[in-house]
Amino acid sequence: MEVLSVLILVISFLFFLGIGVPVAWSLGLSSMLTLMVTVATMPAITTVAQRMATGLDSFSLLAIPFFIVAGELMNRGGIANRLIEFAKALTGRLPGGLLHVNIIAAMLMGAIAGSAVAAASSMGGILGKRMEKEGYPKALGAAVNITSSTTGLIIPPSNVLIVYSLASGGVSVAALFVAGYLPGLLVGGLLMITSAILIKVNKLPAGEPSSMSLVLKTFYNAVPSLFLLVVVIGGIVGGVFTATEASAIAVVYSLILSLIYREIGWKQLPQILLKSGETTAVVMLLIATSMAMSWVMSSENIPQNISAALLSLSDNIIVILILINLLLLFVGIFMDMTPAVLIFTPIFLPVVTALGVDPVHFGIMMVLNLCIGLCTPPVGSVLFIGVGIAKISIQQVIKPLLPLFFAMIVGLVLIMLFPEISLWLPRMFGL
């Protein structure tokens, strides 16, 4: 019966995806069909609906809509522009400096908004025209924008790390947030090194030198935006407020700052809230159906069987981590990050913790792994946004993406082999 359930779950899910059914609906429908193997139709439908509702009944999930609203306000409120100008003052004089500007600004944007989609759309919209004007290949600019935007999912605050905390059964959000800094900077640094090589190959021009006064001026303009990072993360680490309360503070701070900059007015707020509501609805439906599938898998003992199978292959932690990372890289190609975290965390976390891996370290490694999937077809949301803004095809961007993928995989391997990259800061803060 368990084998039959697994076959129905996998085949029905792939079938629905194949005929173009959205991921969230595919998750829910395949869960319902799998449950019908062991229970009657109406109880199966009722159980899936109940699990979807209870899956969203979590105080920590309230942080997600708040951070989404904060990201929209930052994107439209002039905050992204000021971060880009600061990054340009730092690295604009280097050959191909706009690519480095994109990476640094994406990391800064991620450290404030925590959204890869927001970073890709804002960086691509603002820097894309500048790159085109200065003779940068469109495909290269889009590839750098796509991959660098994912650093915002590792560098806190990150909605995906909140989802991982929920799926793991209560790993500290504060510890996950602090743990994301060094891995995020590592990946950003590797992307900059790879971009420097691509810049040399393409013989891209250098920008105008920046004076110290310009650097200080742009830094001064960016300080109010960067201070949000201190408020949010400092408050969480210091125990002043929870991640959910911090997200609400981020909304208030971003709104006040956007109004002060006069980039948006009260008339634009309904549109911003509507857009945030649409994004929140998509994310929450994904979470709800993913929780339902996770419960169905658990009821059929699928996680336990996979855990036993993996542990029977080897008791070497490196071998197990390599196998899990290969599986997650494959999963990331076909599944969005949020459902992947919710479904596969309960499967793989017991395996690695049994072998002594810290749940915080595994969470950072898992999120970075799935970030690569966001940049690959057929479901890579950041990939589609990046090529859409650059107005090029996916085929055109694949070639320059490959060396950047390699850089991200190198970062993943380093984090896998050296847990202290993730765990040093949390231990230093006693988290």
Side-chain angles (χ1 to χ4, degrees), residues 195-255:
S195 297
I197 297 171
L198 295 173
I199 286 164
K200 192 171 183 180
V201 170
N202 288 273
K203 298 178 181 178
L204 296 179
E208 297 179 1
S210 302
S211 63
M212 183 55 67
S213 61
L214 179 61
V215 173
L216 293 174
K217 181 182 177 182
T218 54
F219 174 69
Y220 176 78
N221 291 335
V223 162
S225 305
L226 295 172
F227 187 67
L228 177 60
L229 174 64
V230 178
V231 172
V232 171
I233 305 303
I236 294 172
V237 173
V240 179
F241 37 70
T242 65
T244 305
E245 292 162 346
S247 64
I249 291 169
V251 171
V252 175
Y253 187 96
S254 303
L255 177 59

Side-chain angles (χ1 to χ4, degrees), residues 15-38:
F15 170 75
F16 288 128
L17 282 182
I19 62 174
V21 178
V23 175
W25 291 103
S26 299
L27 290 167
L29 289 170
S30 57
S31 301
M32 188 172 63
L33 289 174
T34 304
L35 203 57
M36 287 179 184
V37 175
T38 52

Side-chain angles (χ1 to χ4, degrees), residues 322-342:
I322 289 172
L323 288 173
I324 289 174
N325 275 301
L326 289 174
L327 286 168
L328 288 174
L329 284 170
F330 178 75
V331 166
I333 295 172
F334 300 102
M335 189 178 288
D336 193 67
M337 180 178 278
T338 299
V341 169
L342 286 166

